[in-house]
Amino acid sequence: RLPGAPDLAAFWDLVVSGRRGIEHFAAADGRVGARSQSAGLLDFDPGRFTISPHEARLMDPQQRQLLMNCAEALAHAGIGDPAPLRVGLVASCGENTYFQRMLRDGDPDLLPDSFRLALHHEKDFLATKAAYHLGLTGPAFTLQSACSSSLAGVHVAAGMLRQGDADVMLVGGVLVDTELTDGYTYRPQHIFSPDGHCRPFSADAEGTVGASGTGVVVLKPLTAARRDGDTVYAVVTGSGLNNDGSGKLGYSAPSLPGQRAAIRAALKRSGRGDGDGGGGGGGDVGYVEAHGTGTRLGDPVEAAALRQAYGLAEDARVALSSVKSQIGHLGAAAGVVGLVRAVLAVHHGVVPPTADFDRLNPEIADGPFRIPVAAEPWPAGPRRVAGVSSFGIGGTNAHVLLEQPDPAPVPDPAEPLPCLVLSGASEAAVRADGRRIAAYLTARPDAYPQVLRHLQAGRPRPVRRGAAAGAAARRRCAAVPPLPAPGRGPPR
């Protein structure tokens, strides 16, 4: 659920088209007229998760968005009923601006006691609330390291799978900033752009744009995914995670040695690096989904760290891109959304573009990287490999390496295909599922056997109600009314 892209297919369409989810408008009081928010940020169907409308209104929208996205991710992965599996969740979120608005604009007499408020708003309960409502029995916890939070979560979740702590791990990141509605105030020396554009690695880069959105990935051991007939979009072959420590200009400054070490650790775990402190092993990487915030200091440091860690020849010409050029900076959710972009690129064999790129930042040495300005076919080779970076203010650096999986077995075309059976909590839910599956199979008719297996693996039990009870339930489950928004509302 991202700016300009309410679902996965729309996101990939936005990526390859080079469009932007950042909306520009005339702002008052000297503010920068730009916002990047996914539609329906405050919409929620509480009845789907057996939550009362009153409780839903109290919940941080970040809890609501994460809960909905985790449910959709499980369904997409064919896990209709997580009960037989130990499904875990590592989740990250941004600052809770909704709670600040509740205190400012709401009726204090209607607010519950401090303990109940904490359950609905504190980051401690982000993952465990989702685990409770979805019935997840694997490890569930919140992980926070600023902008690198959700990619750090991928590193941690992959380790838990290797250790046998879970059968499946969800990793999610969410940021809902209700204060971005009217744009933002530009301040020199901060990371935000003066004109509402993010231009990673470009000579005219001046900062990034804040954004609201959500992303969730499903991780599973490759052998188990193959055994279960899952669609494998990409394979995580290695990841690195560390911190800069004190060896840099300041707490919020990037560190070339720290980033370089995290990237080298990922290369070593993927079987590419030698781990002796020297660079090398990134020669088969075709594209890097960079942290790429479009800042004058951060971009050159990141490019130098990649060049030194990968040990690339000067003529390598590895594609360097950043999703922030299209949708802005999602804070704690930025890493997992960058990962989704890279996974889709590996899956489809398309290198994504970087929007608003003019010419290379002169502080970046001309060499092994190039900045694609339009989507292009992945260069021919034995296997598609991508890197993903996410670096947090404070110094926690994360890097992940992805590979194209081996081809799945091709089903026998002569084998008859049985009907798909859909079920859901309501007729509307079943029809919505049917439309999504039909659209998917129209684009991917070869995926019918996998979709069939997924639907047979476990679906929620149908709920049958009388007509009057059903109508009342639909009224109760309508979208939760948002708080009054100051000034211009979010894009619809």
Side-chain angles (χ1 to χ4, degrees):
R1 297 169 181 265
L2 297 169
D7 55 39
L8 196 64
F11 175 54
W12 181 241
D13 181 68
L14 180 141
V15 167
V16 297
S17 70
R19 292 183 291 109
R20 300 158 191 78
I22 303 171
E23 181 188 12
H24 294 89
F25 54 92
D29 304 324
R31 295 171 68 82
V32 178
R35 61 180 165 222
S36 187
Q37 294 186 323
S38 57
L41 279 176
L42 301 181
D43 292 346
F44 184 59
D45 180 356
R48 180 181 178 187
F49 305 103
T50 323
I51 297 173
S52 73
H54 176 67
E55 182 184 7
R57 288 189 188 92
L58 294 176
M59 290 173 66
D60 179 1
Q62 297 182 120
Q63 288 191 6
R64 303 183 208 155
Q65 292 285 320
L66 179 73
L67 180 56
M68 290 189 291
N69 260 45
C70 286
E72 291 175 6
L74 287 170
H76 188 274
I79 305 173
D81 178 10
L85 300 169
R86 294 173 302 154
V87 179
L89 169 62
V90 183
S92 309
C93 69
E95 181 184 3
N96 186 347
T97 58
Y98 182 78
F99 181 46
Q100 297 169 16
R101 289 183 61 185
M102 284 181 62
L103 294 177
R104 184 181 69 227
D105 304 335
D107 184 347
D109 294 332
L110 298 179
L111 296 178
D113 60 78
S114 58
F115 176 71
R116 285 189 61 209
L117 274 177
L119 294 180
H120 296 312
H121 292 277
E122 290 291 346
K123 292 180 178 180
D124 300 54
F125 308 109
L126 177 72
T128 52
K129 285 281 290 295
Y132 170 74
H133 290 295
L134 296 173
L136 310 183
T137 58
F141 55 92
T142 306
L143 188 154
Q144 298 293 148
S145 60
C147 315
S148 61
S149 298
S150 52
L151 197 65
V154 171
H155 174 87
V156 172
M160 302 187 85
L161 288 172
R162 283 193 296 269
Q163 293 165 189
D165 295 325
D167 302 311
V168 176
M169 287 296 297
L170 300 175
V171 180
V174 55
L175 192 154
V176 176
D177 188 346
T178 58
E179 301 299 312
L180 287 178
T181 301
D182 296 322
Y184 59 91
T185 301
Y186 170 69
R187 293 182 175 87
Q189 309 305 319
H190 284 211
I191 67 169
F192 293 107
S193 160
D195 62 0
H197 289 266
C198 180
R199 303 178 177 89
F201 306 106
S202 187
D204 54 353
E206 295 185 274
T208 191
V209 178
S212 293
T214 318
V216 177
V217 293
V218 182
L219 303 181
K220 191 173 182 179
L222 182 59
T223 53
R226 288 295 190 212
R227 178 198 65 210
D228 297 338
D230 294 329
T231 298
V232 180
Y233 284 80
V235 181
V236 175
T237 58
S239 58
L241 187 67
N242 70 359
N243 191 273
D244 296 333
S246 59
K248 53 184 179 179
L249 293 175
Y251 175 71
S252 61
S255 164
L256 191 155
Q259 293 182 16
R260 182 179 60 209
I263 297 167
R264 285 176 176 168
L267 288 167
K268 180 181 179 182
R269 289 194 176 97
S270 71
R272 290 176 172 81
D274 54 20
D276 63 358
D284 60 347
V285 177
Y287 140 68
V288 175
E289 176 62 33
H291 184 62
T293 55
T295 57
R296 294 187 179 275
L297 178 61
D299 286 0
V301 168
E302 178 173 7
L306 280 166
R307 185 178 69 251
Q308 294 176 21
Y310 276 21
L312 299 171
E314 289 300 306
D315 60 352
R317 312 304 289 165
V318 172
L320 197 61
S321 185
S322 172
V323 71
K324 295 178 182 67
S325 68
Q326 294 184 276
I327 63 172
H329 196 344
L330 285 160
V336 73
V337 171
L339 180 76
V340 169
R341 190 178 193 241
V343 164
L344 292 174
V346 167
H347 177 68
H348 291 288
V350 175
V351 176
T354 294
D356 285 325
F357 179 80
D358 179 30
R359 56 188 175 85
L360 191 66
N361 184 327
E363 298 297 320
I364 298 175
D366 191 19
F369 297 108
R370 60 187 181 85
I371 314 298
V373 296
E376 56 190 49
W378 201 291
R383 192 180 296 269
R384 296 190 285 268
V385 183
V388 185
S389 290
S390 193
F391 308 126
I393 287 178
T396 296
N397 307 302
H399 191 75
V400 170
L401 287 162
L402 302 170
E403 276 190 16
Q404 176 186 9
D406 293 326
V410 178
D412 182 359
E415 183 181 344
L417 296 176
C419 291
L420 298 177
V421 179
L422 307 182
S423 65
S426 68
E427 182 179 350
V430 173
R431 290 185 180 277
D433 271 355
R435 286 191 293 269
R436 284 194 292 267
I437 292 170
Y440 179 74
L441 289 177
T442 299
R444 289 281 312 279
D446 60 308
Y448 193 99
Q450 287 88 351
V451 171
L452 177 65
R453 281 195 295 271
H454 289 176
L455 291 176
Q456 291 172 337
R459 300 285 296 172
R461 291 183 179 179
V463 176
R464 295 178 175 84
R465 300 186 179 97
R474 282 191 291 275
R475 286 195 297 271
R476 288 196 304 271
C477 296
V480 176
L483 290 174
R488 182 183 170 113
R492 306 302 294 173

